[in-house]
Structure formats: C-alpha cells, structure tokens
Amino acid sequence: MLPESLKRARAILENVTPLKTDCGLLCSGLCCRPMEGEMTGMLLFPGEDTYYEGREGYRMTATDHGTLLICSGRCDRADRPLSCRLMPLIPLIREDGVKVATDLRARTVCPLARQGKDALDPDFVSAVRQVGRILAEDEAQRAFLVQLTKHQDELKALRNQFRRGNHV
C-alpha cells in the first residue's frame, strides 16, 4: 500500500501535464522508450515499490540512488510512477523551502527540459511545487528529496565545470 503522501502527490499529477497538449508528440514519447542495451527507468519514491510488486510489465532493481522501475515503455497513465508524473521537473529541498527546477537528468531525452520551466504549463509547475511541499512533510519522502537535491547539485556543478573547460 502506498504511503498517504504518495497517494496525494500522484493524485495531484494525475491529469496535469507539462503542456496543455500531449508533450509526447514533440519527441515521439522519447521519455517512455527504454534505451536499447541500457538499464533505464525511473527512480521510485520511498514506498512506491509496493505499488509495482507483482505487476506485469514492470521490474525493479536496486541502485545507489534507490529503486529503479524498469518498464516496457507502455503503461496505463494511472500507473505511472511519481517520477514520470514529475518529468521534466523535480522538487528540490532548499534552506528557504521547496523549489521546483528542471531535472538535469531529463535534459538528455526531453526537449522541454532544455527549454526550462517557463516553457511549461504554469498549472503543471504549480502542481509540482504543491507535490514537493506534500512530500517534504513526510520524513522518508523528505529524505529522498534531499538526496535528489544533492544529486542535482552535483550534476549542475559537473555541467558548470565542463562549460568552463576545467575538466580533467
């Protein structure tokens, strides 16, 4: 059974999407296509794995960052994990509260992630912010968001290092 915070978060993002139209038309659903020869998937939030246990078409594997859900690339929209519902944004935990940013991991597959938040439906951005606040109230979810924030900060630092030409 899903934790209450995840139920609420998933419900908020059930019918709101990055664009008012099907954003998958821009990239032919690239975010839903598994990359051949690579273990790609979406990180599950704490407790979300219980929703997918025993469900056909899904498998899970442990990674250094958490449980990765691997799917065939086709699912019922109601079954999408929270990470898919948030894509291409991510709620981050900062000293002054929950912030919403473009998920740097999404930039490789999502043309909207390369455009930034301003290119997205404001209702979607607002919903992601609301989800972040709900998750931040749950101890396990907050800890996971802190971990994701650190990972985003590391990716940003690495990107900036390469932009400046200071790579090894």
Side-chain angles (χ1 to χ4, degrees):
M1 179 171 228
L2 285 173
E4 189 59 36
S5 59
L6 284 182
K7 285 181 190 176
R8 290 175 53 207
R10 288 167 61 108
I12 289 166
L13 293 169
E14 180 69 29
N15 295 311
V16 64
T17 57
L19 298 177
K20 295 272 187 213
T21 61
D22 183 355
C23 63
L25 296 174
L26 293 175
C27 63
S28 299
L30 192 58
C31 62
C32 290
R33 278 191 263 144
M35 298 177 89
E36 194 169 323
E38 293 190 27
M39 187 175 68
T40 56
M42 297 304 268
L43 280 178
L44 295 176
F45 279 72
E48 202 172 17
D49 56 338
T50 61
Y51 183 83
Y52 297 97
E53 286 175 352
R55 285 184 180 250
E56 192 172 322
Y58 299 100
R59 71 183 171 93
M60 293 177 279
T61 188
T63 72
D64 292 341
H65 298 288
T67 301
L68 189 69
L69 179 71
I70 302 165
C71 70
S72 65
R74 297 220 181 268
C75 70
D76 183 328
R77 286 188 61 78
D79 287 338
R80 292 173 299 147
L82 186 55
S83 290
C84 289
R85 295 168 194 237
L86 294 167
M87 175 97 166
L89 298 180
I90 185 170
L92 302 174
I93 302 292
R94 298 291 183 203
E95 286 184 20
D96 57 344
V98 174
K99 302 297 178 189
V100 174
T102 302
D103 190 335
L104 296 175
R105 299 167 300 171
R107 293 175 63 91
T108 58
V109 295
C110 181
L112 295 175
R114 295 187 285 274
Q115 299 297 315
K117 285 188 306 191
D118 293 340
L120 304 178
D121 179 0
D123 291 338
F124 176 71
V125 177
S126 177
V128 171
R129 185 172 292 108
Q130 182 182 0
V131 163
R133 289 178 181 146
I134 288 168
L135 295 176
E137 294 172 4
D138 177 301
E139 187 177 329
Q141 304 305 328
R142 182 179 186 82
F144 188 67
L145 288 177
V146 167
Q147 177 186 334
L148 291 177
T149 300
K150 287 178 185 176
H151 189 237
Q152 288 291 303
D153 290 346
E154 290 168 359
L155 290 172
K156 186 175 183 179
L158 187 60
R159 184 184 70 178
N160 291 340
Q161 179 182 347
F162 276 88
R163 279 187 175 163
R164 288 190 304 266
N166 296 335
H167 49 280
V168 179

